Amino acid sequence: MTGQLNDLLEQLQALCTHAVAELEPLTTTTELDAWGTHYLGRNRGELKWLFSQLSRLSREERSVLGQQLNTVKVELEQRLAIRRQDAHRRQLLHSLEQERIDVTLPGRGQRPGYIHPISRTAQDMVRIFSKMGFNVVQGQEVETDYYNFQALNFPPDHPARDMQDTFWIAPGEILLRTQTSGMQIHVMEQLHPPVRVIVPGRVFRDEDVDASHEAVFHQLEGLLVDEHCTMANLKGCLERFVAEMFGADRRVRFRASYFPFTEPSAEMDMQCAVCYGKGCSTCKYTGWLELMGCGMVHPNVLRGVGYDPTKYRGFAFGMGIERAAMLKYDVDDIRLFTINDMRFLRQFA
């Protein structure tokens, strides 16, 4: 053998010894990957350089060195594979140790779902009026100016039409309904008396949000039209509703008011649940809490849908579902219903 071949064989032996010595203390996959790149890398590995020297030798010498190079390469690859398996096993055991589950611990129970207080209040209201013979109908939330205002006897200069009160989609034409009362017109256009419906649904008003006002809230509208219908029927219907919803001991009163689509119109108040009429901060020391607006359907509204007001009469009422929920559950801030604070909502489970 020539001196050149002897030098290369000595370098290969030294490289193998040094590589094995460096491999022993390595434990992580990152360190092992770096070691493999340094000694076995295809581009700049130490063995790659020795393989490149084969072209400088004779055929016989290339055979001797090539065989030795392959032997060393296989040995180093096997050692690296074994160390990688060990490292992987250690990492797996460490992960299992960190993620160990103590099966003797009690399980974590799943909280059952329950109805939101607004949904529960709406269901209670619908149930009560359904027992009185009212049918439930739903309406669209995007409405026209005609059904939301004109057909309900709102004059063109009524302040509710102002941009500060109404969310207009196409000013003067299309809007987000400000009340569920518009369904009165839709229903009366499709049905002949007798008519007896309630309309629960979401409404929208451009208002400043505070403890008693929301820009998006829910209403329940009621309508009854028949040949024999009086204000006494309206009062009896609503008094029965209050007795079933809030308790038979709750007194109510009616105050004169104004709504464009009813005449006469009234506001119905309910006796304060905190002081029972004696006066407190909740009722602003009046002893009463406002619950809803109501009245007899205006003759202009009846004429507009083709009903003869000399033959048919009706009454209508409307109340905020959030308002009813606040009174029923003694909640002092309407925003609590929508901020999704679980501490508040779990009270109604």
Side-chain angles (χ1 to χ4, degrees):
M1 291 187 295
T2 65
Q4 185 177 15
L5 177 58
N6 286 331
D7 290 342
L8 292 173
L9 289 174
E10 290 176 0
Q11 292 180 38
L12 176 60
Q13 185 60 41
L15 182 147
C16 181
T17 303
H18 191 262
V20 171
E22 281 193 355
L23 181 62
E24 286 303 319
L26 305 183
T27 57
T28 67
T29 54
T30 301
E31 293 173 336
L32 293 173
D33 288 341
W35 182 93
T37 301
H38 178 73
Y39 287 103
L40 301 172
R42 294 183 178 181
N43 295 325
R44 297 183 179 180
E46 294 288 342
L47 280 179
K48 178 67 176 178
W49 181 84
L50 289 173
F51 272 104
S52 68
Q53 302 303 307
L54 290 173
S55 60
R56 302 171 54 185
L57 303 175
S58 65
R59 179 180 300 178
E60 291 78 9
E61 292 175 333
R62 281 201 301 268
S63 176
V64 174
L65 180 60
Q67 183 177 1
Q68 293 298 319
L69 283 169
N70 287 328
T71 300
V72 171
K73 179 181 179 184
V74 169
E75 180 183 355
L76 294 182
E77 288 176 343
Q78 290 176 346
R79 288 177 178 272
L80 177 61
I82 293 173
R83 298 307 300 276
R84 278 177 171 164
Q85 289 179 357
D86 292 340
H88 177 72
R89 187 180 302 109
R90 283 193 298 270
Q91 290 179 355
L92 179 60
L93 292 175
H94 179 73
S95 299
L96 292 175
E97 184 67 25
Q98 295 296 319
E99 300 172 7
R100 177 185 295 179
I101 298 175
D102 187 349
V103 296
T104 64
L105 292 175
R108 298 176 182 175
Q110 294 293 326
R111 289 185 177 273
Y114 42 86
I115 301 175
H116 191 280
I118 297 301
S119 299
R120 176 177 294 179
T121 302
Q123 291 176 359
D124 290 342
M125 297 167 73
V126 167
R127 174 182 52 80
I128 293 170
F129 285 113
S130 294
K131 291 196 299 184
M132 299 185 202
F134 286 84
N135 298 312
V136 182
V137 297
Q138 299 288 337
Q140 61 268 29
E141 296 178 350
V142 177
E143 193 57 277
T144 64
D145 176 83
Y146 173 78
Y147 286 102
N148 197 80
F149 291 129
Q150 296 178 36
L152 292 171
N153 203 37
F154 279 82
D157 58 349
H158 195 281
R161 293 169 173 263
D162 198 343
M163 291 293 291
Q164 280 70 42
D165 298 306
T166 304
F167 289 106
W168 290 94
I169 298 175
E173 300 179 13
I174 308 297
L175 51 88
L176 294 178
R177 66 180 181 185
T178 62
Q179 54 197 353
T180 53
S181 306
M183 274 304 294
Q184 291 185 23
I185 310 304
H186 287 288
V187 170
M188 289 190 289
E189 286 180 343
Q190 299 173 23
L191 301 176
H192 294 290
V195 175
R196 189 176 295 188
V197 296
I198 53 173
V199 188
R202 189 167 55 170
V203 297
F204 310 83
R205 294 183 185 174
D206 192 2
E207 296 183 352
D208 293 331
V209 176
D210 56 30
S212 58
H213 296 86
E214 283 272 27
V216 181
F217 56 100
H218 299 79
Q219 273 191 346
L220 184 136
E221 182 80 14
L223 171 69
L224 186 147
V225 179
D226 207 339
E227 293 185 20
H228 306 287
C229 182
T230 67
M231 192 75 175
N233 300 129
L234 169 62
K235 293 178 66 177
C237 175
L238 298 183
E239 286 173 353
R240 178 179 174 184
F241 163 74
V242 171
E244 291 205 31
M245 187 74 180
F246 301 98
D249 59 337
R250 303 296 287 274
R251 296 170 54 200
V252 298
R253 72 175 184 181
F254 292 82
R255 296 179 289 107
S257 186
Y258 167 75
F259 302 105
F261 43 91
T262 55
E263 181 60 39
S265 303
E267 294 276 2
M268 191 182 84
D269 299 332
M270 182 178 67
Q271 190 179 51
C272 178
V274 178
C275 66
Y276 283 89
K278 295 180 181 179
C280 64
S281 59
T282 301
C283 61
K284 299 179 181 179
Y285 300 96
T286 65
W288 299 91
L289 296 169
E290 180 183 324
L291 181 58
M292 72 177 79
C294 58
M296 303 301 294
V297 179
H298 199 289
N300 290 345
V301 176
L302 296 175
R303 292 191 191 96
V305 295
Y307 289 4
D308 183 357
T310 62
K311 181 179 180 181
Y312 298 109
R313 291 190 294 178
F315 65 73
F317 56 86
M319 70 189 89
I321 296 177
E322 281 86 350
R323 178 66 172 169
M326 292 175 71
L327 296 177
K328 183 175 179 66
Y329 299 115
D330 194 22
V331 177
D332 59 3
D333 193 327
I334 192 174
R335 293 169 292 189
L336 290 172
F337 292 121
T338 54
I339 61 176
N340 294 325
D341 187 335
M342 295 304 297
R343 295 170 300 176
F344 170 77
L345 295 176
R346 288 194 185 109
Q347 300 177 71
F348 304 93

